[in-house]
Amino acid sequence: EVQLVESGGGLIQPGGSLRLSCAASGFTVSSNYMSWVRQAPGKGLEWVSVIYSGGNTYYADSVKGRFTISRDNSKNTLYLQMNSLRAEDTAVYYCARDRYSGIPYFDYWGQGTLVTVSS
Amino acid sequence: DIQMTQSPSSLSASVGDRVTIACRASQSISSYLNWYQQKPGKAPKLLIYAASSLQSGVPSRFSGSGFGTSFTLTVSGLQPEDFATYYCQQSYSTLYSFGQGTKLEIK
């Protein structure tokens, strides 16, 4: 059974850093595209970043230069390192398997972890 | 960047109704269009991928169509559990993007 479990969220001051983790089971992270998607309170979904199976990474303009997506193949875990955090980064962060069968789509999602950026 | 625009932003309907949600892309995205359903406090759930392919386990009352810049999600015979928010998402660009969402409410 495929499962994604996020952790690492919490309250952080503006300008601070946080690292989110997404532990996967039932499939191999490194063989798949993996994405982070966030949702600010009461707002819609916003794609944040993707890492391809080959290692290429891409970021939304809103986080480029501040966030870094990575994975640990030995732990089958996806990460999102978030630096220089701003109030507008406050959101529930979801990891999702980005299944690629010609056309990418998010077929499995974690339960989400809340990041609150506030002084 | 590719902008995705959904209409309407909200919709009231009754159980048994047929409803259609539209999604328009700012440039052609071929069939690189997916639809998700989200209920309050829950993660999104994939309904339709590649514009018209039904995800395994999703009821057949959900259907998708479109190509290029114009897409639709149709729910035929609304059930109580279908009242939720729906999002379209393009995966044509390396920078993915979602529509702003359509909230489907009970009339």
Side-chain angles (χ1 to χ4, degrees):
Chain A
E1 180 191 7
V2 170
Q3 274 198 318
L4 295 166
V5 179
E6 300 97 335
S7 60
L11 175 63
I12 187 75
Q13 291 189 337
S17 298
L18 208 57
R19 188 179 79 159
L20 305 183
S21 300
C22 172
S25 58
F27 73 101
T28 302
V29 165
S30 61
S31 298
N32 286 267
Y33 293 9
M34 296 293 296
S35 276
W36 287 96
V37 175
R38 68 184 181 183
Q39 186 168 37
K43 303 297 184 182
L45 301 172
E46 180 188 16
W47 173 78
V48 172
S49 181
V50 63
I51 183 167
Y52 288 175
S53 50
N56 287 0
T57 59
Y58 299 92
Y59 300 90
D61 290 344
S62 57
V63 306
K64 194 171 184 179
R66 300 188 298 124
F67 289 12
T68 302
I69 191 171
S70 64
R71 65 191 180 209
D72 185 329
N73 298 344
S74 67
K75 295 182 178 180
N76 208 34
T77 298
L78 177 73
Y79 299 101
L80 185 67
Q81 177 67 44
M82 305 185 295
N83 298 331
S84 303
L85 282 162
R86 307 167 180 166
E88 54 265 35
D89 296 318
T90 294
V92 173
Y93 284 75
Y94 297 99
C95 63
R97 188 174 78 168
D98 190 355
R99 185 163 177 85
Y100 183 78
S101 57
I103 293 178
Y105 53 89
F106 303 131
D107 63 344
Y108 286 96
W109 298 67
Q111 83 289 352
T113 186
L114 176 62
V115 173
T116 303
V117 184
S118 174
S119 55
Chain B
D1 295 2
I2 299 175
Q3 310 302 318
M4 305 301 294
T5 303
Q6 289 181 231
S7 60
S9 295
S10 63
L11 177 60
S12 293
S14 301
V15 172
D17 284 354
R18 179 176 184 268
V19 298
T20 297
I21 298 169
C23 177
R24 183 170 295 274
S26 60
Q27 66 181 75
S28 177
I29 58 170
S30 183
S31 295
Y32 288 68
L33 191 283
N34 309 310
W35 289 98
Y36 303 87
Q37 176 194 67
Q38 188 180 33
K39 297 182 179 179
K42 300 295 186 181
K45 171 188 174 184
L46 176 69
L47 298 175
I48 302 286
Y49 63 94
S52 60
S53 295
L54 189 67
Q55 171 68 349
S56 176
V58 174
S60 59
R61 62 181 179 271
F62 291 93
S63 63
S65 65
F67 183 87
T69 63
S70 184
F71 302 87
T72 58
L73 172 71
T74 298
V75 188
S76 300
L78 276 171
Q79 296 300 302
E81 60 268 28
D82 299 337
F83 292 93
T85 300
Y86 294 84
Y87 295 92
C88 63
Q89 176 243 338
Q90 66 81 18
S91 57
Y92 181 83
S93 166
T94 52
L95 305 186
Y96 301 153
S97 52
F98 288 90
Q100 81 279 15
T102 295
K103 187 174 184 179
L104 177 55
E105 299 176 303
I106 300 175
K107 185 182 289 184

